[in-house]
Amino acid sequence: MSAAVRVFVPRDSAALAVGADEVAAALQAEAARRGLSIEIVRNGSRGLFWLETLVEVATPAGRVAYGPVMPEDVPSLLDAGLLSGGAHPLHQGLTEAIPFLARQERLSFRRMGVTDPLSLADYEALEGWAGLRAALALDGATIVQQVLDSGLRGRGGAAFPTGIKWKTVLAAEASQKYIACNADEGDSGSYADRMVMEGDPYMLIEGMVIAGLAVGATRGYVYIRSEYPQAIAVMNEAIARATAAGFLGENVCGSGRAFTLEVRKGAGSYVCGEETAMLESLEGKRGVVRAKPPLPAIEGLFGKPTVINNVLSFAAVPLVLSRGPAFYRDYGVGRSRGTLPFQLAGNIKQGGLVEKAFGLSLRELLIDFGGGTASGRPIKAVQVGGPLGSYLPESQWDLPLDYEAYAAAGAVLGHGGIVVHDDTADMAKLARYAMEFCAIESCGKCTPCRIGSTRGVEVIDRIRGNQNREQQVTLLRDLCDTMTHGSLCAMGGMTPFPVLSALNHYPQDFGLAESEAAKP
């Protein structure tokens, strides 16, 4: 009897949303009806979302891709020789040779879509736990120094050096320290955290265990928003399997050192993506921003020293330890080292995840990877860095994508989320949405954010309604200045970014001549 042919069907939320379960069921039923022997592997997503459901078949030449596959395509695919990589209108060739994938520099996402996310054997076969084993041979200070030397900066948006944060917690004296992973991925157009948790969860677990070894923490929490039920389920199962296998628990890998991990579900408040609001929520309180100081690295969760990083920051750590800090640092430009998983979304022809070293341009992402808009119309504006990021016009698309270059242009890279709008977008309406979003999601603790955003909506409505437009533009700028400099956290402090960039770059959408909008 010949061996079963391995067929890969993603189990990622994006694939499930377009019918991956139904495709898997159809493949299983049709193969059985024809007497064909197949083994269906539910892998993570490759991040080529316009091709989901992306079905792959293992052949002697490598994995061959087909997509987007619907359940009704299954009979014709089998007729065409799917199980041997046969030709079909949905045939995409060898997966690794698809240009969108072949041009990437996948470090953190190198296993994404390749493995069964919950298979410990798959993970270990592709360098899994190598970073942890290396860390177990080092003392905390040496681990921290390696992270410092790698140049890794927090991938959650603030870009604070990860090693500095760890060094502060290592130096703090306390009977208990914690590791907290901020997986409250609430930015529009962002999904890299979700992909890690659903598609390569052991990588996040390994990064958090290494952080615990580095600073002397024995307990960790992964804070995941309730809108990610699949990620929560996968992480819980991965933690259970890693614990049973000895990678978590009271005796990590037989070292005599302890690290336990739990998932905590957030209720979906955007402001809980801010680290101190997340700590409040983890402690069972309402998610409200804390004033700083003290820093969470000194007084964090339950008043104890706490390392807080986001998913992508922890996910980068195992590779730093397994291949050395110089390997990671050799990617990138300037002070932006390593890679960033950019997430293409909105009105884009080829939406998906692109992991590249810092330094490429937005134009390369939009055109070379994204293929332009899905509507076929010209791109008008691109919002980079989530709902609090600036809108960039075409004149800024050739800036290198690194933290300093974007800061100099009044923009942010944030979490790498990129949302594309074509030339039908009304930028005054989008500016109003930014203020309204802040008004709805504000925790209410500080006045500039709570009241400023509500007044901002009213002022933009008066501008759009041509009621004393010139005076209202001046008032809007004053209001944004107050929010920027008077808010407790980035929620109020960064809401002016999309508002002012829309006003400055697209004054005609506010009913203004260019010279009027350019006034400071």
Coordinates of all heavy atoms in Angstrom, one line a residue, residues 380-381 383 387-391 421 425-439 452-464 473 476-477 479-480 483 491 494-512:
K380 N -4.5 56.6 -2.8 CA -4.5 58.0 -2.3 C -3.7 58.2 -1.0 O -2.9 59.1 -0.9 CB -5.9 58.4 -2.1 CG -6.1 59.9 -1.6 CD -7.5 60.3 -1.6 CE -7.7 61.7 -1.1 NZ -9.1 62.1 -1.1
A381 N -4.0 57.3 -0.1 CA -3.4 57.5 1.2 C -3.1 56.2 1.9 O -3.8 55.2 1.6 CB -4.3 58.3 2.2
Q383 N -2.2 54.5 5.7 CA -2.1 54.7 7.1 C -1.1 53.6 7.6 O -1.4 52.4 7.5 CB -3.4 54.6 7.9 CG -3.3 55.0 9.3 CD -4.6 55.1 10.0 OE1 -5.6 54.4 9.7 NE2 -4.7 56.0 11.0
P387 N -4.5 52.6 14.0 CA -5.5 53.7 13.9 C -5.0 55.1 14.4 O -5.6 56.1 14.2 CB -6.7 53.2 14.7 CG -6.1 52.2 15.6 CD -5.0 51.6 14.9
L388 N -3.8 55.0 15.1 CA -3.2 56.3 15.6 C -2.0 56.7 14.8 O -1.3 57.6 15.2 CB -2.8 56.1 17.1 CG -3.9 55.6 18.0 CD1 -3.4 55.5 19.5 CD2 -5.2 56.5 18.0
G389 N -1.8 56.0 13.7 CA -0.7 56.3 12.8 C -1.1 57.4 11.8 O -2.3 57.7 11.5
S390 N -0.1 58.0 11.2 CA -0.3 59.1 10.2 C -0.7 58.5 8.9 O -0.4 57.4 8.5 CB 1.0 59.9 10.0 OG 1.3 60.5 11.2
Y391 N -1.4 59.4 8.1 CA -1.7 59.1 6.7 C -0.5 59.6 5.8 O -0.2 60.8 6.0 CB -3.0 59.7 6.2 CG -4.2 59.0 6.8 CD1 -4.9 59.6 7.9 CD2 -4.6 57.8 6.4 CE1 -6.0 59.0 8.4 CE2 -5.7 57.2 6.9 CZ -6.4 57.8 8.0 OH -7.5 57.2 8.5
H421 N -5.8 53.1 1.2 CA -7.1 53.7 0.7 C -6.9 54.1 -0.8 O -5.8 54.7 -1.1 CB -7.4 54.9 1.5 CG -7.7 54.6 3.0 ND1 -8.9 54.2 3.5 CD2 -6.8 54.5 4.1 CE1 -8.8 54.0 4.8 NE2 -7.6 54.1 5.2
A425 N -11.3 57.8 -1.2 CA -11.3 58.0 0.3 C -11.6 59.5 0.6 O -11.0 60.3 0.0 CB -10.0 57.5 0.9
D426 N -12.4 59.7 1.6 CA -12.7 61.1 2.1 C -11.8 61.3 3.3 O -12.1 60.7 4.4 CB -14.1 61.2 2.4 CG -14.5 62.6 2.9 OD1 -13.6 63.4 3.4 OD2 -15.7 63.0 2.9
M427 N -10.7 62.0 3.2 CA -9.8 62.1 4.3 C -10.3 62.9 5.5 O -9.9 62.7 6.7 CB -8.4 62.7 3.9 CG -7.8 61.9 2.7 SD -7.6 60.1 3.1 CE -6.5 60.1 4.4
A428 N -11.2 63.8 5.3 CA -11.8 64.6 6.4 C -12.7 63.6 7.2 O -12.8 63.7 8.4 CB -12.7 65.7 5.8
K429 N -13.4 62.7 6.5 CA -14.2 61.7 7.2 C -13.4 60.7 8.0 O -13.7 60.3 9.1 CB -15.0 60.9 6.1 CG -16.1 60.1 6.7 CD -17.0 59.5 5.5 CE -18.1 58.6 6.1 NZ -18.9 58.1 4.9
L430 N -12.2 60.4 7.4 CA -11.3 59.5 8.2 C -10.7 60.2 9.4 O -10.5 59.6 10.4 CB -10.2 59.0 7.2 CG -10.7 57.9 6.2 CD1 -9.6 57.7 5.2 CD2 -11.1 56.6 6.9
A431 N -10.4 61.5 9.2 CA -9.9 62.3 10.4 C -11.0 62.3 11.5 O -10.7 62.2 12.7 CB -9.6 63.7 10.0
R432 N -12.2 62.5 11.1 CA -13.3 62.5 12.1 C -13.4 61.1 12.7 O -13.6 61.0 14.0 CB -14.6 62.8 11.4 CG -15.8 62.9 12.3 CD -17.1 63.0 11.6 NE -18.3 63.3 12.5 CZ -18.9 62.4 13.3 NH1 -18.4 61.1 13.3 NH2 -19.9 62.8 14.1
Y433 N -13.2 60.1 12.0 CA -13.3 58.7 12.5 C -12.2 58.5 13.6 O -12.5 57.9 14.6 CB -13.1 57.7 11.4 CG -13.0 56.3 12.0 CD1 -14.2 55.6 12.4 CD2 -11.8 55.6 12.1 CE1 -14.1 54.3 12.9 CE2 -11.7 54.4 12.6 CZ -12.8 53.7 13.1 OH -12.7 52.5 13.6
A434 N -11.0 59.1 13.4 CA -9.9 59.0 14.3 C -10.3 59.6 15.7 O -10.1 59.0 16.7 CB -8.7 59.6 13.8
M435 N -10.9 60.8 15.6 CA -11.4 61.4 16.9 C -12.5 60.6 17.5 O -12.5 60.5 18.7 CB -11.8 62.8 16.5 CG -10.7 63.8 16.3 SD -9.8 64.2 17.9 CE -8.8 65.5 17.4
E436 N -13.4 60.1 16.7 CA -14.5 59.4 17.3 C -14.1 58.1 17.9 O -14.5 57.7 19.0 CB -15.5 59.1 16.1 CG -16.8 58.4 16.6 CD -17.8 58.1 15.5 OE1 -17.3 57.9 14.3 OE2 -19.0 58.1 15.7
F437 N -13.1 57.4 17.2 CA -12.5 56.2 17.8 C -11.9 56.5 19.2 O -12.1 55.7 20.1 CB -11.4 55.7 16.8 CG -10.7 54.4 17.3 CD1 -11.3 53.2 17.1 CD2 -9.5 54.5 17.9 CE1 -10.7 52.0 17.6 CE2 -8.8 53.3 18.3 CZ -9.4 52.1 18.1
C438 N -11.2 57.6 19.3 CA -10.6 57.9 20.6 C -11.6 58.2 21.6 O -11.5 57.8 22.8 CB -9.6 59.1 20.4 SG -8.8 59.7 21.9
A439 N -12.7 58.9 21.2 CA -13.8 59.2 22.2 C -14.4 58.0 22.7 O -14.8 57.9 23.9 CB -14.8 60.1 21.5
G452 N -11.1 66.1 24.8 CA -10.5 66.6 23.6 C -11.0 65.8 22.3 O -11.3 66.4 21.3
S453 N -11.1 64.5 22.5 CA -11.6 63.7 21.3 C -13.0 64.0 21.0 O -13.4 64.1 19.8 CB -11.4 62.2 21.6 OG -12.0 61.9 22.8
T454 N -13.9 64.2 22.0 CA -15.3 64.6 21.8 C -15.4 65.9 21.1 O -16.1 66.1 20.1 CB -16.1 64.5 23.1 OG1 -16.0 63.2 23.7 CG2 -17.5 64.9 22.9
R455 N -14.6 66.9 21.6 CA -14.7 68.2 21.0 C -14.1 68.1 19.6 O -14.5 68.9 18.7 CB -13.8 69.2 21.8 CG -14.4 69.5 23.2 CD -15.6 70.3 23.2 NE -16.8 69.5 23.1 CZ -17.4 68.9 24.2 NH1 -16.9 69.1 25.4 NH2 -18.5 68.2 24.0
G456 N -13.1 67.3 19.4 CA -12.5 67.1 18.0 C -13.5 66.7 17.0 O -13.5 67.2 15.9
V457 N -14.4 65.8 17.4 CA -15.4 65.3 16.4 C -16.3 66.5 16.1 O -16.6 66.7 14.9 CB -16.3 64.2 17.1 CG1 -17.5 63.9 16.2 CG2 -15.4 62.9 17.3
E458 N -16.7 67.3 17.1 CA -17.5 68.5 16.8 C -16.9 69.5 15.9 O -17.5 70.1 15.0 CB -17.9 69.1 18.1 CG -18.7 68.2 19.0 CD -18.8 68.7 20.5 OE1 -18.2 69.7 20.8 OE2 -19.5 68.0 21.3
V459 N -15.6 69.7 16.1 CA -14.9 70.8 15.3 C -14.7 70.3 13.9 O -15.0 71.1 13.0 CB -13.5 71.0 16.0 CG1 -12.6 71.9 15.0 CG2 -13.6 71.7 17.3
I460 N -14.4 69.0 13.7 CA -14.3 68.5 12.3 C -15.6 68.6 11.6 O -15.7 68.9 10.4 CB -13.7 67.1 12.3 CG1 -12.2 67.1 12.8 CG2 -13.7 66.5 10.9 CD1 -11.6 65.8 13.0
D461 N -16.7 68.3 12.3 CA -18.0 68.4 11.7 C -18.3 69.8 11.3 O -18.9 70.1 10.2 CB -19.1 68.0 12.7 CG -19.2 66.5 12.8 OD1 -18.7 65.8 12.0 OD2 -19.8 66.0 13.8
R462 N -17.9 70.8 12.1 CA -18.1 72.2 11.7 C -17.2 72.6 10.5 O -17.6 73.3 9.6 CB -17.8 73.2 12.9 CG -18.9 73.1 13.9 CD -18.8 74.3 14.9 NE -17.7 74.2 15.8 CZ -17.8 73.5 17.0 NH1 -18.9 73.0 17.4 NH2 -16.8 73.5 17.8
I463 N -16.0 72.0 10.4 CA -15.1 72.3 9.2 C -15.8 71.7 8.0 O -15.9 72.4 6.9 CB -13.7 71.7 9.4 CG1 -13.0 72.4 10.6 CG2 -12.9 71.7 8.1 CD1 -11.7 71.7 11.0
R464 N -16.3 70.5 8.1 CA -16.9 69.8 6.9 C -18.2 70.5 6.5 O -18.5 70.6 5.4 CB -17.2 68.4 7.2 CG -15.9 67.5 7.5 CD -16.2 66.1 7.8 NE -16.7 65.3 6.7 CZ -17.5 64.3 6.7 NH1 -18.0 63.9 7.9 NH2 -17.8 63.7 5.6
V473 N -10.4 75.4 11.9 CA -9.1 74.7 11.6 C -8.0 75.1 12.7 O -7.3 74.3 13.2 CB -8.6 75.1 10.2 CG1 -7.1 74.6 10.0 CG2 -9.5 74.4 9.2
L476 N -8.9 73.3 15.8 CA -8.5 71.9 15.7 C -7.0 71.7 15.9 O -6.6 70.8 16.7 CB -8.9 71.3 14.3 CG -8.6 69.9 14.1 CD1 -9.3 69.0 15.0 CD2 -8.9 69.5 12.6
R477 N -6.2 72.6 15.4 CA -4.8 72.4 15.7 C -4.4 72.7 17.1 O -3.6 71.9 17.7 CB -4.0 73.4 14.8 CG -4.0 73.1 13.3 CD -3.1 74.0 12.5 NE -3.2 73.7 11.1 CZ -2.6 72.7 10.5 NH1 -1.9 71.8 11.2 NH2 -2.7 72.5 9.2
L479 N -6.4 72.1 19.6 CA -6.9 70.9 20.4 C -6.0 69.7 20.2 O -5.7 69.0 21.2 CB -8.3 70.6 19.8 CG -9.2 69.6 20.5 CD1 -9.5 70.0 21.9 CD2 -10.5 69.4 19.7
C480 N -5.5 69.5 19.0 CA -4.5 68.5 18.8 C -3.2 68.7 19.6 O -2.6 67.7 20.1 CB -4.2 68.3 17.3 SG -5.5 67.6 16.3
M483 N -3.9 67.7 23.2 CA -4.0 66.2 23.3 C -2.6 65.6 23.2 O -2.3 64.7 24.0 CB -4.9 65.6 22.2 CG -6.4 66.0 22.4 SD -7.4 65.3 21.0 CE -7.4 63.6 21.3
M491 N -2.9 56.8 23.5 CA -4.3 56.9 23.0 C -4.7 58.3 22.7 O -5.1 58.6 21.6 CB -5.3 56.3 24.1 CG -6.7 56.4 23.7 SD -7.2 54.9 22.7 CE -7.9 55.8 21.3
M494 N -1.5 60.3 20.5 CA -1.3 60.0 19.1 C -2.5 60.2 18.2 O -2.4 60.1 17.0 CB -0.7 58.6 19.0 CG 0.7 58.5 19.5 SD 1.4 56.9 19.3 CE 1.4 56.7 17.5
T495 N -3.7 60.3 18.8 CA -4.9 60.5 17.9 C -4.7 61.7 17.0 O -5.1 61.7 15.8 CB -6.1 60.7 18.8 OG1 -6.4 59.5 19.4 CG2 -7.3 61.1 17.9
P496 N -4.0 62.8 17.4 CA -3.7 63.9 16.4 C -2.9 63.5 15.2 O -3.0 64.2 14.1 CB -3.0 64.9 17.2 CG -3.5 64.7 18.6 CD -3.6 63.2 18.7
F497 N -2.2 62.4 15.2 CA -1.4 62.0 14.1 C -2.2 61.8 12.8 O -2.0 62.4 11.8 CB -0.5 60.7 14.4 CG 0.7 60.9 15.2 CD1 0.7 61.7 16.3 CD2 1.9 60.4 14.8 CE1 1.9 61.9 17.1 CE2 3.1 60.6 15.5 CZ 3.1 61.4 16.7
P498 N -3.2 60.9 12.8 CA -4.0 60.8 11.6 C -4.8 62.0 11.3 O -5.0 62.3 10.1 CB -5.0 59.6 12.0 CG -5.0 59.5 13.4 CD -3.6 59.9 13.9
V499 N -5.2 62.7 12.3 CA -6.1 64.0 12.1 C -5.2 65.0 11.3 O -5.6 65.5 10.3 CB -6.6 64.5 13.4 CG1 -7.3 65.8 13.2 CG2 -7.5 63.5 14.1
L500 N -4.1 65.3 11.9 CA -3.3 66.4 11.3 C -2.6 66.0 10.0 O -2.5 66.8 9.1 CB -2.2 66.9 12.3 CG -2.7 67.5 13.6 CD1 -1.6 67.9 14.5 CD2 -3.5 68.8 13.2
S501 N -2.3 64.7 9.8 CA -1.7 64.3 8.6 C -2.8 64.4 7.5 O -2.5 64.8 6.3 CB -1.1 62.9 8.7 OG -2.1 62.0 9.1
A502 N -4.0 64.0 7.8 CA -5.1 64.2 6.8 C -5.3 65.6 6.4 O -5.4 66.0 5.3 CB -6.4 63.5 7.4
L503 N -5.3 66.5 7.4 CA -5.5 67.9 7.2 C -4.3 68.5 6.4 O -4.6 69.3 5.5 CB -5.6 68.6 8.6 CG -5.8 70.1 8.5 CD1 -7.2 70.5 7.9 CD2 -5.8 70.7 9.9
N504 N -3.1 68.1 6.7 CA -2.0 68.7 6.1 C -1.8 68.3 4.6 O -1.4 69.0 3.8 CB -0.7 68.5 6.9 CG -0.7 69.2 8.2 OD1 -1.4 70.2 8.4 ND2 0.0 68.7 9.2
H505 N -2.0 67.0 4.4 CA -1.7 66.4 3.1 C -2.9 66.4 2.1 O -2.8 66.3 0.9 CB -1.2 65.0 3.2 CG 0.1 64.9 4.0 ND1 1.2 65.6 3.7 CD2 0.4 64.2 5.1 CE1 2.2 65.4 4.5 NE2 1.7 64.5 5.4
Y506 N -4.1 66.5 2.7 CA -5.3 66.4 1.9 C -6.3 67.5 2.2 O -7.5 67.3 2.6 CB -6.0 65.0 2.0 CG -5.1 63.9 1.8 CD1 -4.4 63.3 2.9 CD2 -4.8 63.4 0.5 CE1 -3.5 62.3 2.7 CE2 -3.9 62.4 0.4 CZ -3.3 61.8 1.4 OH -2.4 60.8 1.3
P507 N -5.9 68.8 2.2 CA -6.7 69.9 2.6 C -8.0 70.1 1.8 O -9.0 70.5 2.3 CB -5.8 71.1 2.4 CG -4.8 70.7 1.4 CD -4.6 69.3 1.7
Q508 N -7.9 69.7 0.5 CA -9.1 69.8 -0.3 C -10.3 69.0 0.2 O -11.4 69.3 0.0 CB -8.8 69.4 -1.8 CG -8.4 67.9 -2.0 CD -7.0 67.6 -1.6 OE1 -6.2 68.4 -1.1 NE2 -6.6 66.3 -1.9
D509 N -10.0 67.9 0.9 CA -11.1 67.1 1.5 C -11.8 67.7 2.7 O -12.9 67.3 3.1 CB -10.5 65.7 1.9 CG -10.2 64.8 0.8 OD1 -10.2 65.3 -0.4 OD2 -10.0 63.6 1.0
F510 N -11.1 68.8 3.2 CA -11.7 69.6 4.3 C -12.3 70.8 3.8 O -12.7 71.7 4.5 CB -10.6 69.9 5.3 CG -10.1 68.7 6.1 CD1 -9.2 67.9 5.5 CD2 -10.5 68.5 7.4 CE1 -8.7 66.8 6.2 CE2 -10.0 67.4 8.1 CZ -9.1 66.5 7.5
G511 N -12.3 71.0 2.4 CA -12.9 72.2 1.8 C -11.9 73.4 1.9 O -12.3 74.5 1.8
L512 N -10.6 73.1 2.0 CA -9.6 74.1 2.2 C -8.6 74.2 1.0 O -8.4 73.2 0.3 CB -8.7 73.8 3.4 CG -9.5 73.8 4.8 CD1 -8.6 73.2 5.8 CD2 -9.9 75.2 5.2

